[in-house]
Amino acid sequence: MSLQDTKPLIGRVQEVGGLVSLSDYEAGGGYTAAHRALKQMTPSDVIDLVREANLRGRGGAGFPTGVKWGFAKGEPQTPGYKYLVCNGDEMEPGTFKDRYLIEFNPHSLIEGMILGAYAIGAEKAYVFLRGEYHEPNRQLARAIAEAGEKNYLGRSIFGSDFNLDLRIHLSGGRYICGEETALLNALEGKRGQPRYKPPFPPASGAWGRPTIVNNVETLCNVPAIIRNGAQWYHDLGLTEDSGTKIYGISGRVNKPGLWELPMGTPIRELVDVHAGGMRDGYKLRGILPGGASTDYLVEEHFDLPMDYKTIQDAGSRMGTGTMILMDDSICPVDMARNLQHFFAQESCGFCTPCREGLPWVEELLADIENGNGKDGDLELLDQNARYIGAPGNTFCLHATGAIEPLQSALKYFRDDFEHHIEHKSCPYREN
C-alpha cells in the first residue's frame, strides 16, 4: 500500500522527499482523475461523487463541497460564464497548511481545480494567493505552465470540449478576505469588504457571475476521491467525517508542524505523539483548535477527536484544524489582548461594533494586563463579548470570530483576569 492510499494530500510529497514535479505527480496517478472525469463522467457525476464522499470544506466552515458545487451547477438565472476561485490567502493566525500544499504539491491543486471547474461548468478559474507567499507563487506558476504545455489546461483538455483558463491573483493580504464575498471584491480590484447577501456567490459572485469559492485543501482532496471512490474516502476517517485532515500545531511542543492524519484523530494524540509532547518544564493549559478565531479548549477536552461535530459540541470550532497551544508560562490576559489587537486592525471598518468595539476591548485588556484594571471591567468585557460577538449585530462574522477566544478565556481562565485586577499586576511577568 502506498502512502497515497492513506495520505492523499501529502503522501506523494513524502514518497518523493520534497517538491512533487509534474513527472512525479503523473507517476503517482496524477491527472488520471481529470482525464476520467472529462472523458467518462458528466459534471453531475462528479458533483454526486464528491457529495457522496462527504467532502467538507477545509477552510474553516466545513460546508459540504458537493452541495456547494450543486448550487452553481444548477443556477438557472444567470447563464453564461461561471468562475471557480481557490482561496489561498490563508490569513488565519496559526495556519500554514495551504502554503505547504501549494509549495510542495501544486499539481494536486491544479487537478482539483480542473475537476471543480468542470463540475460547475466554469471555464475561468483563479487562485487568490496571499501576496507574501513568494515561493508557493513561484512553484504554482511553474506548475500551471507545465500543465498548460501538456494540455491539462487551456483549450480542449484531453481532447474534450472543456476549456479552462487558470490564473493566479496575488492578494494584498487582508484577513477579511477569508470571507468569500470580500475575497471576490478584492479579486475584482475593489476594497476587500464583505457584500450584502443574498445574492450568494453561487448565483452572483465574481463580476456578477455564478462563482464557487473553495479552500486549497478542499480542492486538493478531489482528485483522490474521483480516482478511488466515495467509500474509500469514508473509510479514511475515524468518525462520521470522511477523509484525512492536515492538522497543525504551533506552540511550545517538541516538534511543531503539520501532519496529514485521519479525520477525527484525538487532540491528545496530536499533541503527545505527532508533536512530540510539551517541552520540558511546560504544561498545556489551553488550545485554540482551529486558528485564532476559535474558542479555547481545556484539559477536559484533550481526549476528544478533532472533527467538526465533536469540537462544535464542545463549544468551539475545528476551523482550519491548525491548533495554537497556550502553556502555563503564557498569560491568558495578554494572549487575549494580542489576539484582539490583530482582529481590531484587520476589521474592514464597515460596522461600528467591529470598528470601534474591538479596539476598545483591546484597550481594556491592555489596562488589565498593565495593572490598571478596575472592579467591573470583567463585567464590561462579558457585556461587550455578548454584544459584539452575537451573529447579526455586525455585517459579517469577523467580530464574531474575534470574540470567540476572548469569551472562552473569560470562561476558563477567569481567575487569571481577577488576579490581575485584584493585585494590579501580571503574575506571569513576576515569574
Side-chain angles (χ1 to χ4, degrees):
M1 179 182 293
S2 70
L3 277 173
Q4 285 192 105
D5 293 327
T6 55
K7 297 183 178 183
L9 296 170
I10 64 175
R12 191 64 179 144
V13 178
Q14 295 175 340
E15 287 174 344
V16 303
L19 172 66
V20 179
S21 67
L22 176 58
S23 59
D24 291 330
Y25 189 67
E26 291 172 322
Y31 291 106
T32 58
H35 184 274
R36 177 191 169 199
L38 269 59
K39 301 293 283 187
Q40 301 176 24
M41 302 172 71
T42 67
S44 295
D45 291 336
V46 175
I47 292 175
D48 289 344
L49 185 53
V50 171
R51 184 187 289 118
E52 183 183 349
N54 191 30
L55 171 61
R56 299 181 63 171
R58 300 303 202 242
F63 192 82
T65 304
V67 174
K68 191 174 188 179
W69 287 2
F71 294 152
K73 171 67 171 61
E75 173 54 46
Q77 303 299 323
T78 49
Y81 271 129
K82 297 177 183 178
Y83 294 97
L84 176 68
V85 179
C86 171
N87 182 358
D89 206 39
E90 198 166 44
M91 284 290 290
E92 183 69 29
T95 301
F96 46 95
K97 62 185 179 63
D98 294 340
R99 178 185 67 189
Y100 184 91
L101 286 170
I102 296 171
E103 186 169 338
F104 291 100
N105 202 9
H107 285 284
S108 68
L109 174 59
I110 294 171
E111 186 175 16
M113 294 191 72
I114 294 169
L115 291 161
Y118 175 69
I120 68 171
E123 294 194 351
K124 292 184 180 293
Y126 293 90
V127 179
F128 188 90
L129 187 63
R130 183 171 173 175
E132 295 86 351
Y133 277 3
H134 302 298
E135 184 61 18
N137 175 45
R138 189 170 72 87
Q139 298 297 350
L140 182 58
R142 181 165 62 183
I144 289 173
E146 291 173 339
E149 291 173 0
K150 294 292 291 284
N151 191 222
Y152 298 154
L153 292 171
R155 301 194 62 81
S156 303
I157 299 174
F158 299 120
S160 70
D161 58 0
F162 177 68
N163 313 313
L164 182 61
D165 179 11
L166 174 59
R167 303 186 184 190
I168 300 172
H169 175 91
L170 290 179
S171 82
R174 289 303 305 271
Y175 179 81
I176 197 64
C177 290
E179 201 280 341
E180 62 182 14
T181 63
L183 181 154
L184 294 175
N185 271 342
L187 179 66
E188 294 176 8
K190 301 172 184 174
R191 182 179 181 183
Q193 181 173 301
R195 300 176 180 177
Y196 286 102
K197 298 186 290 286
F200 294 93
S204 179
W207 297 282
R209 310 302 308 163
T211 304
I212 291 295
V213 181
N214 286 131
N215 170 260
V216 171
E217 186 183 356
T218 307
L219 290 162
C220 288
N221 273 277
V222 177
I225 292 173
I226 302 302
R227 283 198 305 269
N228 301 309
Q231 188 58 53
W232 165 83
Y233 195 69
H234 280 296
D235 292 342
L236 289 178
L238 300 177
T239 60
E240 66 181 36
D241 287 327
S242 303
T244 60
K245 180 77 186 74
I246 297 183
Y247 295 108
I249 290 181
S250 58
R252 287 192 174 95
V253 289
N254 287 301
K255 296 187 296 183
L258 53 80
W259 311 270
E260 183 181 0
L261 298 166
M263 181 70 82
T265 298
I267 293 173
R268 200 175 298 277
E269 178 185 331
L270 288 165
V271 175
D272 291 345
V273 177
H274 301 286
M278 300 299 293
R279 296 182 194 171
D280 290 344
Y282 296 100
K283 180 182 178 181
L284 181 60
R285 287 192 71 193
I287 292 173
L288 297 174
S293 63
T294 54
D295 290 86
Y296 281 99
L297 298 178
V298 293
E299 176 67 34
E300 65 189 76
H301 306 119
F302 292 168
D303 290 310
L304 295 177
M306 275 283 282
D307 65 29
Y308 294 100
K309 185 178 186 302
T310 303
I311 300 304
Q312 182 176 343
D313 289 346
S316 187
R317 294 182 296 110
M318 192 176 79
T320 62
T322 44
M323 301 187 292
I324 301 174
L325 274 52
M326 185 184 76
D327 62 71
D328 57 355
S329 73
I330 296 174
C331 174
V333 178
D334 194 46
M335 185 168 176
R337 179 210 56 78
N338 185 46
L339 292 172
Q340 293 309 304
H341 173 73
F342 171 81
F343 289 118
Q345 69 180 2
E346 289 297 327
S347 170
C348 77
F350 184 80
C351 306
T352 301
C354 189
R355 181 185 66 248
E356 306 295 336
L358 293 181
W360 188 87
V361 166
E362 179 198 349
E363 184 176 343
L364 184 53
L365 287 167
D367 284 343
I368 296 172
E369 171 64 14
N370 293 324
N372 299 315
K374 305 182 295 296
D375 290 340
D377 280 356
L378 298 190
E379 288 71 26
L380 280 174
L381 285 174
D382 287 331
Q383 179 183 5
N384 278 273
R386 287 193 300 270
Y387 178 72
I388 298 173
N393 285 348
T394 50
F395 189 58
C396 76
L397 295 178
H398 175 79
T400 304
I403 289 299
E404 286 187 22
L406 173 61
Q407 67 187 9
S408 55
L410 289 167
K411 175 182 178 181
Y412 293 119
F413 312 117
R414 200 172 190 90
D415 288 349
D416 290 276
F417 286 82
E418 291 173 346
H419 184 282
H420 280 68
I421 293 173
E422 180 181 352
H423 296 277
K424 300 295 183 181
S425 64
C426 173
Y428 296 86
R429 294 182 184 179
E430 297 167 2
N431 295 333

